[in-house]
Amino acid sequence: MLVHITDADEIVRHGEEAFLDERSALLFRAAKSIVIDLSSAADRVSDEFTSAHPEVPWSAIHRMRSVLAHHYDDIQRPVVWDTLVVDLPAVRDALLTSIE
């Protein structure tokens, strides 16, 4: 899961303006794919681990995947951007804390 968050960091390095630019879909599509892949990775985490680490927002990860995979016409770029810059760093911190 951490590798997916690191990939998301690459997108963030391009900046918010580039991400929100409607003329370019590349960063937006890449971000959606990364979040979906992250959720798929979370699905492979054992129930024992997820139960032992409630600080990781497992349900939120799965909900965002559902939105991105099934409601793609309604997805707003600023929501995905916030996921990249707010939510994924929090997930990273929780994961790193849980494996220490």
Side-chain angles (χ1 to χ4, degrees):
M1 291 177 60
L2 293 172
V3 70
H4 300 298
I5 297 171
T6 300
D7 289 344
D9 292 341
E10 274 300 311
I11 292 171
V12 170
R13 277 193 265 289
H14 287 273
E16 184 175 11
E17 185 176 333
F19 185 82
L20 297 177
D21 186 348
E22 294 287 336
R23 295 170 294 178
S24 174
L26 182 65
L27 294 175
F28 182 58
R29 279 188 262 155
K32 292 190 303 182
S33 179
I34 288 167
V35 174
I36 290 169
D37 291 348
L38 175 72
S39 178
S40 295
D43 286 343
R44 294 187 298 274
V45 174
S46 72
D47 290 340
E48 180 180 315
F49 187 86
T50 58
S51 295
H53 300 287
E55 68 277 9
V56 178
W58 304 108
S59 295
I61 292 169
H62 295 302
R63 282 193 308 272
M64 180 55 98
R65 184 228 177 264
S66 180
V67 168
L68 293 176
H70 302 294
H71 304 283
Y72 46 84
D73 290 336
D74 298 327
I75 301 167
Q76 297 178 357
R77 287 179 188 234
V79 172
V80 178
W81 178 256
D82 287 346
T83 298
L84 298 179
V85 299
V86 176
D87 300 330
L88 293 188
V91 170
R92 175 195 299 117
D93 293 346
L95 287 170
L96 291 173
T97 299
S98 69
I99 58 177
E100 288 180 345

